[in-house]
Amino acid sequence: MSSPEPLQAKLLADDLLARYVRCLDDGDLDEWPGFFTDPCIYRVTHRADDRAGYENALIFADSRGMLRDRVNAVENVSVYEPHGYRHIVGASLVEQVNGTLIDASASFLVARIMQDGETSVFATGVYRDRIDISGDEPLFAEKVVIMDSERVDTLLAIPL
């Protein structure tokens, strides 16, 4: 695919993000690595660390293999109270289009739903995405999840 027009880039970013959060909200974790190129970057960090330029992360992966390991850990190793997420995501803001790469961002709110039905705000923040549109379908080459709060009140088991 050649470099998309601005509206087409926005539609591609919005569609990829909508499918991504649906996968997580529906609990289809085995499908999650398929939303990324290989190699890729997936990083979850806090706003203060991001603003300070720190590269540290709560979660970091740089390949689909590492993403699959994350899914395996969630499904087979980690011990946590079963719960799910519901993502509310703002419209994507396309920041730059460079050939077949789209840099976009979108605000998010993630509600956590516990087994007993209790629902609470788990995280808010912004996704900063680099989307590769060179293949058959858009994929995240890089997804940086920047949480507003430095506090996570439970194990960050399921990807954001």
Side-chain angles (χ1 to χ4, degrees):
M1 175 180 276
S2 61
S3 187
E5 296 295 322
L7 181 57
Q8 183 185 18
K10 179 176 176 31
L11 292 173
L12 289 167
D14 282 345
D15 181 69
L16 177 60
L17 193 51
R19 290 185 295 108
Y20 173 86
V21 298
R22 177 183 282 175
C23 170
L24 294 176
D25 289 348
D26 288 351
D28 297 331
L29 290 184
D30 288 333
E31 304 299 320
W32 177 63
F35 285 91
F36 294 84
T37 60
D38 194 15
C40 63
I41 297 291
Y42 176 75
R43 187 165 64 95
V44 178
T45 189
H46 301 290
R47 180 175 23 176
D49 287 348
D50 182 68
R51 285 185 176 166
Y54 300 144
E55 292 293 320
N56 60 326
L58 296 166
I59 300 174
F60 177 83
D62 63 6
S63 70
R64 277 191 183 172
M66 288 181 77
L67 297 176
R68 281 190 215 86
D69 285 347
R70 179 78 186 168
V71 170
N72 181 56
V74 168
E75 292 180 339
N76 301 308
V77 178
S78 298
V79 178
Y80 61 94
E81 183 178 354
H83 64 281
Y85 291 151
R86 177 65 57 200
H87 291 71
I88 308 298
V89 180
S92 295
L93 174 63
V94 173
E95 316 243 351
Q96 179 177 336
V97 178
N98 186 3
T100 58
L101 293 175
I102 300 169
D103 289 340
S105 62
S107 297
F108 70 84
L109 180 148
V110 179
R112 181 181 59 207
I113 303 93
M114 303 308 290
Q115 248 184 342
D116 66 2
E118 178 186 344
T119 302
S120 60
V121 172
F122 180 71
T124 61
V126 65
Y127 292 126
R128 276 201 326 235
D129 299 323
R130 173 158 289 158
I131 300 166
D132 183 336
I133 60 170
S134 65
D136 293 337
E137 60 182 79
L139 297 172
F140 294 112
E142 183 173 324
K143 176 172 261 319
V144 179
V145 181
I146 304 168
M147 299 190 325
D148 291 327
S149 175
E150 293 183 28
R151 183 173 171 247
V152 177
D153 69 346
T154 189
L155 174 68
L156 184 54
I158 301 170
L160 292 173

